[in-house]
Structure formats: structure tokens, C-alpha cells
Amino acid sequence: MAKIKKASESLTIMTNIVLPNETNSLRNLFGGELLAKMDRCASISAARHCERRVVTASVNHVSFNHPIPEGGIVILESKVSRAFSTSMEVYVDVWLDDPISQKKTHTNAGIYTFVAVDEFNRPIPIPEMVPETEDEKERFAAAFRRKELSLILSGRMKPLESVELKKLFQEPS
């Protein structure tokens, strides 16, 4: 597939208000509710990138840094951070938006991996992705390290076969 896409082409923004039935006993958004919203947002970004059906392959990282209260306005922003041969990493940022004070608080972040599939649910090739902004370039570079680490932890790659991770631990020449 020769098509090359920009990270910005996969940008997805979802806005929600936290309803009482989505909260825990502390009246904050349930973590599982947030994970589902993040997965939906990320899957749209992945589908926009490859213009195909996608399936969630893994949730690589999620941080819960700040509670999101009942009635809070939640903004989820996702973009493909790197495309590989049939899979792509999608980074999701979550913000609590207070329209009265006009303050946005970064509450959560997550990294998801999706695979593009054909009508028989077999992986298919996807377009390359080119980062443009400094943030996109940093996430693009880090995605390769995360992929290598994931392959090592799953036993599909030997640590000595790593390219990027070895650079982190080698003594400077």
C-alpha cells in the first residue's frame, strides 16, 4: 500500500458529559466507562487512518491521573501515533473541560494498538503514517520502542534483537 497519511488525518475528538449512572460511589467516572470511551475514540482514529475495519489488539498503557466528577465535561482526543505493517498505535488524551472557568485539565492518557482486518478478520496492510508536529514526532519514535518491548515481553523477540531499546541501555561511546 503506497498511500502515506498524516497523523492529523486520524484526529478524532469526542465530547461527553459524565452522567450519574456512569459514576462510582465517590461520584467520579468509573475507570471502565472511561476505558470504553477511549477505545471507541481510538478505534475511530484507527479506522480513519487505514480506511478499513479495525479490531483492538491491546491496551498498552492507561494512566488515571485525575478523577472526572459527575457532571464533568470530558473531551477525548485520539490520533494514530505510528503505523506498522498491519497494526497501528493510537494515543488517546483525556481532558476535563470546565466551560465556566475555561480551564482544561489533562486527566488521562492511553495507548491502544489496533489491527486492520479484511472481511474474514485477517490482518491487512495499512498506509504509512508521517508525523508533523513535535509531539507527533516524539510519540512516533516512542511507539517503536513500545512495540519492541511488547514483542520482547510476549516472547516474539529476543532482547538482543532489539534496535531502539538497546540504544537506551548502551554506554555512550
Side-chain angles (χ1 to χ4, degrees), residues 3-167:
K3 194 171 187 179
I4 297 175
K5 297 184 101 177
K6 299 174 188 173
S8 59
E9 293 179 72
S10 67
L11 176 65
T12 301
I13 300 172
M14 294 173 59
T15 305
N16 293 277
I17 189 164
V18 177
L19 301 174
N21 66 326
E22 299 174 313
T23 64
N24 59 25
S25 60
L26 299 173
R27 297 180 60 200
N28 291 319
L29 181 63
F30 270 118
E33 292 282 343
L34 181 59
L35 289 171
K37 292 175 190 304
M38 292 170 76
D39 191 31
R40 285 185 200 104
C41 191
S43 71
I44 294 168
S45 287
R48 284 181 171 160
H49 176 77
C50 65
E51 301 170 5
R52 300 295 242 156
R53 288 187 310 142
V54 296
V55 294
T56 308
S58 66
V59 179
N60 307 326
H61 172 80
V62 176
S63 63
F64 294 93
N65 301 321
H66 190 279
I68 301 172
E70 178 182 324
I73 297 173
V74 181
I75 300 173
L76 297 96
E77 297 179 8
S78 63
K79 276 194 248 192
V80 171
S81 48
R82 186 156 189 163
F84 297 98
S85 56
T86 61
S87 68
M88 66 211 92
E89 181 187 271
V90 180
Y91 209 100
V92 184
D93 287 298
V94 181
W95 304 87
L96 175 59
D97 182 36
D98 184 339
I100 297 165
S101 69
Q102 297 188 350
K103 181 181 174 193
K104 277 177 76 172
T105 304
H106 189 261
T107 63
N108 306 80
I111 302 169
Y112 288 69
T113 299
F114 287 86
V115 174
V117 295
D118 64 14
E119 62 274 10
F120 304 105
N121 291 330
R122 291 183 301 224
I124 55 174
I126 62 172
E128 291 180 49
M129 194 280 296
V130 176
E132 297 176 291
T133 68
E134 284 308 310
D135 188 46
E136 290 170 358
K137 289 174 184 176
E138 287 174 23
R139 289 178 175 183
F140 181 87
F144 192 70
R145 292 189 294 272
R146 283 189 288 272
K147 180 169 181 149
E148 282 189 341
L149 182 58
S150 177
L151 291 171
I152 290 167
L153 292 173
S154 69
R156 294 182 287 161
M157 174 189 265
K158 292 181 177 26
L160 293 175
E161 296 171 345
S162 164
V163 175
E164 289 298 313
L165 289 175
K166 281 197 297 191
K167 291 178 188 176

